[in-house]
Amino acid sequence: MNVRVLRIELKRSIAPWAGAVVVTSALAFLYLVNAAWWRGTTAWTAQWTSMALWTRALLAYLWPLAVGLGALQGLRDHRSKVSELLTTTSRPAWHRAATLAGTTAITLASAFALLVLVGAVQVLPTTEYTHLGWLPISLVGALSLVAGAVLGMGAGRALPSALTPPALAMGAFVFTILLRLSTESGVPTASVVNRVSLLSPAVGRVRDVLLTLSAAVHLGQTIWLLGMAATGFALLAAATPRARLLALTPVLAGAAIALLVLPSDPRRTYVVDEAAAELVCDGPVCVTRTHQARLADLAGPGKEALRLLHDALGEQAPASVRENSAVLPEGSTPQWSGKTVLFDFDDDIVAAAKGEELTWALIAKGMVPGCSPVGWSSFGNDDIARTVAVGWALGDLRSLPRTGPALRHEVDAKARPVWTELKALPRSEQLSRINAMRAAALSCKGDTFDALNGGASR
C-alpha cells in the first residue's frame, strides 16, 4: 500500500476518527479521573514500567472500542451497497482487505504510540532508571488494538448488520471485565483460570513498581493476538461460507497455543524486575535502582535514624536502612528484620515525611514496622505503640507524619499515659518492655501495645 492509496483510504474510512477517539478518550480518562494511576511510586508518570502497565490497563475499554469501530468499518461496503460490484472486479479480495485493514492498523497503532509518548515525556525527567523492559508491554498493547479492530472488520463483513458493531463491542467489554475479575477477586485461581484470564489484552492495576509481566505472558499474548488478527483478515477477504468457516482456524489455533505458553502459576505472571530491584547504597542506607534518584534525600535522615536507634537500643539496634524489595502476595503477613530498617516509599508514614520528619518515620519503621496484611491499611494498637516507641527513642512524644488532627488527638490521648509511665520506669525495665514490643512487632505475633504495658491490656 503506497502513500497515495493510504491517503485516499484515510479520507474515505473511519480510521482517523478511530485513532482520535482512542487517544482523546484515554487521555481524558487519565487526566480527569483522580485514581490510583496518579498516586505513589506506581503513578503512570513515575516509572517506565508503571507507565506501560497503566496504559495497558486502559485497554479494558479501549480494546472493545477498537473491536466495535472495526466492525463499523467492516460494514462500509454493505452500507454503500457495492459488495457485489467489488466481487466482480479483477482486484484480489485480499488486496482490498489489506488496504482496509492496513489503514486502520496504522492509525490505531499510531494512536496508542502517541498515548505512550505522552506518558514517556513525563516519565523521562522523573526517574534515573531508564530501561527497555517496558517496551514489550506497550508493543503487545498496540498489537491488541490492531488485532481487535481487524477482527471487528472481519466480523462486520461476515455479519453485515447494524447490530453487529454494538454487539461486538459489548461482548468484548464483558470478556475483558470477566477476565479481570477472575484475577483480582483476591481468591487463588486455578492454573486454567489464570491462563484464560491472560487472554485479555488489558492488565489489572499496578500493585508494585518492581513487578513486570513475564516473557511467557508477552509471548503467549502475542501468539493469541496474531491468531485473532489473522482470523479477522481472513474473514475480511472471505467470499464464501466455507472460507468464512476456515477463517476461524487461526484464532482457535492461536488460543490453543497461547494457553500452552501462558504461565499457569499466577506468581509467574508478574515477576520482579531484578535489575530494578538491585540495591544502590550510600553507606548503610540503600534503595532500589528504580528509586536511586531519591537516595540523596534519604541518606542523611537514614543515617541519623540509625544513630538515634543505636543510642536508644544499643546492640539490639538495626545496622542499616533498606528499601523493601520483597514483593509478597496481597493479603499475606509482612516479614521484617531486626537488623535492618525496611521501608517502602508508598508507606503512609514515609511518603508524607521530609527532612527531620523522615528521620522520625524511619525510627518508627525500625521500632514497629507494622503487621497489617500486604495491601491493607488499618489503624490500631500498632500505631499507638509506634508513637510511644518513637517518643521514647527521641525523648519527647511527637506526632508522626500523616497523622491528621483527628487521629493526632486520639493517638495522643492513648499514647501519652503509656509514654509517661514508661519513662518513669528504671532504664532496664524500659528496655525490657521496648524489646518485648519489638519482638512482637517484628514477628507479627502478639500485641505491641500490651508489651509496652508490661503485658497488661488496657
Side-chain angles (χ1 to χ4, degrees):
M1 181 170 57
N2 57 40
V3 176
R4 177 175 171 274
V5 173
L6 175 62
R7 186 168 58 249
I8 294 173
E9 193 63 34
L10 286 173
K11 290 180 179 180
R12 62 194 295 264
S13 73
I14 66 168
W17 294 103
V21 167
V22 166
V23 172
T24 55
S25 62
L27 291 178
F29 201 75
L30 286 170
Y31 282 97
L32 298 181
V33 180
N34 183 17
W37 48 80
W38 285 113
R39 302 188 189 120
T41 59
T42 58
W44 85 291
T45 58
Q47 299 290 340
W48 292 102
T49 301
S50 298
M51 180 272 294
L53 288 172
W54 277 123
T55 50
R56 277 285 298 274
L58 295 177
L59 292 176
Y61 81 90
L62 289 180
W63 185 71
L65 189 62
V67 173
L69 289 171
L72 186 62
Q73 177 79 323
L75 292 176
R76 186 182 66 181
D77 293 346
H78 177 75
R79 292 196 312 269
S80 302
K81 297 181 172 45
V82 295
S83 299
E84 294 183 3
L85 175 63
L86 291 176
T87 58
T88 62
T89 64
S90 58
R91 189 181 183 189
W94 69 265
H95 196 172
R96 295 193 302 272
T99 302
L100 183 63
T103 303
T104 304
I106 292 172
T107 305
L108 288 177
S110 300
F112 192 77
L114 181 59
L115 175 63
V116 172
L117 180 62
V118 171
V121 169
Q122 296 174 87
V123 171
L124 192 59
T126 63
T127 180
E128 292 182 5
Y129 177 55
T130 302
H131 62 103
L132 294 178
W134 60 273
L135 197 55
I137 301 173
S138 294
L139 289 176
V140 173
L143 176 61
S144 69
L145 287 179
V146 171
V150 174
L151 180 66
M153 287 182 209
R157 178 68 62 84
L159 301 171
S161 167
L163 297 178
T164 299
L168 281 178
M170 183 55 66
F173 182 72
V174 171
F175 175 77
T176 57
I177 293 301
L178 289 179
L179 293 187
R180 171 180 285 191
L181 290 176
S182 70
T183 57
E184 294 191 350
S185 62
V187 179
T189 57
S191 60
V192 174
V193 175
N194 185 69
R195 284 191 176 110
V196 172
S197 68
L198 293 175
L199 295 179
S200 170
V203 300
R205 63 184 178 87
V206 184
R207 188 168 68 85
D208 194 288
V209 71
L210 299 179
L211 290 179
T212 187
L213 290 171
S214 66
V217 174
H218 297 321
L219 179 59
Q221 290 181 338
T222 299
I223 293 172
W224 156 242
L225 293 171
L226 288 176
M228 184 188 300
T231 286
F233 185 80
L235 285 173
L236 197 58
T240 64
R242 175 183 170 82
R244 294 190 184 100
L245 188 61
L246 290 175
L248 299 177
T249 303
V251 71
L252 295 177
I257 297 172
L259 290 174
L260 294 176
V261 174
L262 292 168
S264 59
D265 187 348
R267 291 171 296 183
R268 291 177 52 233
T269 300
Y270 287 92
V271 295
V272 174
D273 183 342
E274 298 296 340
E278 182 182 344
L279 293 179
V280 179
C281 301
D282 182 344
V285 181
C286 301
V287 298
T288 61
R289 188 168 295 281
T290 300
H291 296 131
Q292 60 186 345
R294 306 178 71 166
L295 180 58
D297 294 331
L298 182 74
K303 293 173 184 177
E304 178 64 11
L306 290 176
R307 185 188 68 79
L308 292 171
L309 284 169
H310 185 269
D311 291 344
L313 299 173
E315 295 301 320
Q316 298 297 319
S320 62
V321 173
R322 178 166 61 83
E323 182 182 356
N324 193 359
S325 59
V327 180
L328 300 177
E330 192 162 347
S332 60
T333 302
Q335 299 175 3
W336 306 114
S337 167
K339 291 301 180 182
T340 302
V341 177
L342 295 173
F343 72 94
D344 192 307
F345 283 112
D346 281 331
D347 185 277
D348 290 340
I349 299 175
V350 176
K354 293 181 180 180
E356 186 181 37
E357 285 193 341
L358 184 53
T359 299
W360 305 349
L362 293 174
I363 293 174
K365 298 300 292 182
M367 288 290 200
V368 184
C371 289
S372 296
V374 175
W376 294 18
S377 180
S378 62
F379 176 82
N381 283 353
D382 276 359
D383 298 271
I384 301 169
R386 184 182 293 122
T387 301
V388 173
V390 174
W392 177 81
L394 297 174
D396 184 21
L397 194 65
R398 307 178 186 184
S399 297
L400 294 176
R402 88 162 174 116
T403 308
L407 280 180
R408 186 180 297 118
H409 177 75
E410 181 180 350
V411 170
D412 186 72
K414 294 181 178 180
R416 188 164 295 278
V418 179
W419 179 76
T420 303
E421 178 184 327
L422 182 66
K423 293 294 289 184
L425 295 173
R427 177 69 179 177
S428 59
E429 179 62 20
Q430 293 180 34
L431 273 174
S432 176
R433 292 194 180 189
I434 289 292
N435 287 333
M437 177 209 69
R438 288 193 74 220
L442 295 172
S443 65
C444 290
K445 296 177 181 178
D447 191 293
T448 54
F449 193 57
D450 282 353
L452 284 177
N453 281 308
S457 180
R458 296 188 173 188

